[in-house]
Amino acid sequence: GLDMIEGDYEDDGQIELNWMYDRVDRTADRLVTYRQICKQVAREFGVTA
């Protein structure tokens, strides 16, 4: 359900994520889910997301 079109590296510690257009509530839920996944993976590797 994370319909990401592309991700692009910006500056140190910053990326740009482009998502498919959808309802605002669905997009917000997906973004929160993505952030939670990133944080958990970072914790498992002992780094900061």
Side-chain angles (χ1 to χ4, degrees):
L2 301 173
D3 300 323
M4 191 182 312
I5 299 170
E6 73 176 308
D8 185 29
Y9 175 79
E10 295 287 321
D11 294 321
D12 290 342
Q14 180 179 347
I15 60 171
E16 174 185 340
L17 303 175
N18 297 308
W19 305 87
M20 291 291 292
Y21 178 80
D22 204 342
R23 290 184 5 207
V24 67
D25 57 335
R26 289 182 184 168
T27 301
D29 286 345
R30 290 174 181 150
L31 180 57
V32 170
T33 300
Y34 177 80
R35 290 182 59 166
Q36 290 173 337
I37 292 168
C38 288
K39 286 182 179 184
Q40 181 59 37
V41 170
R43 275 192 291 267
E44 291 177 13
F45 283 95
V47 296
T48 303

